[in-house]
Amino acid sequence: MAGNVFVNGTFDVLHPGHIELLKFARSLGSRLFVGLDNDERVTELKGKDRPINNAGDRRAMLEAIRWVDEVMIFSSDDQLDSLVKIIRPKHMVVGSDYKDKFVIGSRWAKQLHFFDRIDGYSSTEIIQRITSR
């Protein structure tokens, strides 16, 4: 087990699905780097009511997880691509919903892995459940 691993996302409302993703990613290498969408980017991707937690809080929560070695906040596709280029991970992990899509930065990784999302765990669904009560 050697080499860097990279994963990215919004990680807005952490849940067990995120933890399993991070644990899996870290099992592939010796250091796990997490790219974190900044607040403006989360709003663009998820809607005007997001993020729930700001980037500083999301970063702090991710850094507290034992499998995460470093968290870097990015604000654009170009910045994400540059982060992956700098890290040159041996492994890059993305959600299985990206199997037929272009994965930003994947050209800089030696191997791309798809992680199957765990049914019942979605930040968007958790937020909807809370707000509908």
Side-chain angles (χ1 to χ4, degrees), residues 20-84:
E20 291 302 316
L21 164 68
L22 297 168
K23 186 165 63 169
F24 169 75
R26 182 61 168 74
S27 75
L28 298 172
S30 54
R31 287 184 53 84
L32 176 57
F33 293 85
V34 178
L36 183 65
D37 293 281
N38 74 356
D39 292 342
E40 292 77 17
R41 191 168 162 89
V42 174
T43 300
E44 289 173 20
L45 295 168
K46 304 289 185 176
K48 66 178 179 61
D49 294 329
R50 302 278 296 272
I52 300 298
N53 293 296
N54 68 47
D57 290 346
R58 290 183 285 126
R59 176 187 224 164
M61 287 187 282
L62 287 166
E63 289 174 339
I65 297 170
R66 68 178 171 175
W67 297 289
V68 175
D69 292 293
E70 189 170 340
V71 178
M72 299 147 294
I73 298 172
F74 65 93
S75 62
S76 68
D77 289 356
D78 287 341
Q79 280 188 349
L80 173 57
D81 189 67
S82 293
L83 282 177
V84 182

Side-chain angles (χ1 to χ4, degrees), residues 5 17 22 33 35 42 46 51 66 69 74-75 91 95 97 99 106 110 113 118 121 124 131:
V5 182
L22 297 168
F33 293 85
V42 174
K46 304 289 185 176
R66 68 178 171 175
D69 292 293
F74 65 93
S75 62
H91 305 279
D97 52 325
K99 279 186 179 172
S106 62
K110 289 182 180 162
H113 301 267
I118 300 171
Y121 294 111
T124 300
T131 57

Side-chain angles (χ1 to χ4, degrees), residues 81-117:
D81 189 67
S82 293
L83 282 177
V84 182
K85 181 180 179 181
I86 290 165
I87 293 164
R88 298 273 178 163
K90 185 173 183 180
H91 305 279
M92 185 173 185
V93 180
V94 297
S96 58
D97 52 325
Y98 280 88
K99 279 186 179 172
D100 297 321
K101 297 178 185 174
F102 173 72
V103 177
I104 299 165
S106 62
R107 64 186 169 150
W108 307 113
K110 289 182 180 162
Q111 199 168 7
L112 183 62
H113 301 267
F114 296 98
F115 182 81
D116 288 329
R117 295 185 182 262

